[in-house]
């Protein structure tokens, strides 16, 4: 497969914390040469505060407002081709789900609760998982969010037993096929 052949639109990675969006994003960036936008990193740069600081000082709703604003800014230019790695809760707001599909081809990376726990257990950067029983928290949040990921994504990939290289290959193959069938990804109404 020719990885350097351009895609007509951006690729957007959604999914739960610790499902591998950042790693797969870097892999896609290396193959396609598109800029990689990490939305959490962008929010941290814009505010000069870390994600845990924003949650601790201003609360989750303020973080969600910043996240929606960052997404609106990206969606103001849908012609730019980018790899966009989102925060796991970006799908909570309906307006965000609509914007994500307008931006390009949306890929849901799905991991099991046990895998997520293993990958996030040493992280200090995920305030929502700082609970007495993180596995139960993960399961509860996953159950709430899975229908939203499902509704938003053009493609779902179960990342269990796949390395980032294999996930990236699967995404590119499916995205190319999709874009041969659709001139533009459809927008939700
Ligand atoms: C969040 C996921 C985090 C970050 C914030 C909230 C969530 O991003 O945006 O801590 O609600 O799932 P990652 O998915 O990159 O960990």
């Amino acid at each position: 497969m020719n990885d350097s052949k351009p895609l007509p639109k951006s690729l957007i990675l959604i999914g739960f914390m610790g499902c591998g969006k950042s790693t797969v994003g870097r892999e896609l960036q290396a193959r396609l040469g598109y800029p990689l936008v990490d939305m959490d990193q962008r929010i941290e740069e814009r505010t000069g505060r870390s994600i845990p600081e924003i949650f601790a000082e201003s609360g989750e709703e303020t973080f969600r407002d910043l996240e929606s604003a960052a997404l609106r800014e990206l969606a103001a230019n849908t012609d730019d081709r980018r790899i966009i790695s989102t925060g796991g809760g970006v799908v909570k707001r309906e307006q965000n789900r609509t914007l994500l599909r307008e931006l390009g081809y949306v890929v849901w990376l799905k991991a099991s609760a046990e895998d997520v726990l293993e990958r996030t257990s040493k992280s200090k950067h995920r305030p929502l998982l700082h609970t007495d029983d993180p596995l139960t928290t993960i399961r509860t949040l996953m159950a709430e969010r899975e229908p939203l990921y499902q509704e938003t994504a053009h493609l779902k990939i179960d990342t269990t037993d796949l390395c980032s290289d294999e996930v990236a290959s699967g995404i590119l193959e499916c995205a190319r096929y999709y874009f041969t069938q659709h001139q533009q990804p459809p927008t939700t109404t």
Side-chain angles (χ1 to χ4, degrees), residues 80-94:
D80 281 356
R81 291 180 201 139
R82 296 165 285 213
I83 313 294
I84 300 172
S85 173
T86 61
V90 73
V91 292
K92 285 181 73 175
R93 291 190 176 173
E94 187 181 358

Side-chain angles (χ1 to χ4, degrees), residues 15-19 21-22 38-40 43 51-52 55 60 63-64 67 85-90 92 120 123 125-129 141 145 149:
F16 205 78
M17 294 170 260
C19 69
K21 290 165 292 188
S22 304
D38 181 309
M39 284 186 54
D40 281 347
I43 292 166
I51 304 293
F55 270 78
E60 180 173 350
F63 172 76
R64 298 293 167 208
E67 187 174 52
S85 173
T86 61
V90 73
K92 285 181 73 175
T120 57
S123 161
H125 299 286
R126 293 180 169 107
L128 291 177
L129 301 183
L141 285 175
R145 292 177 181 182
Y149 295 133

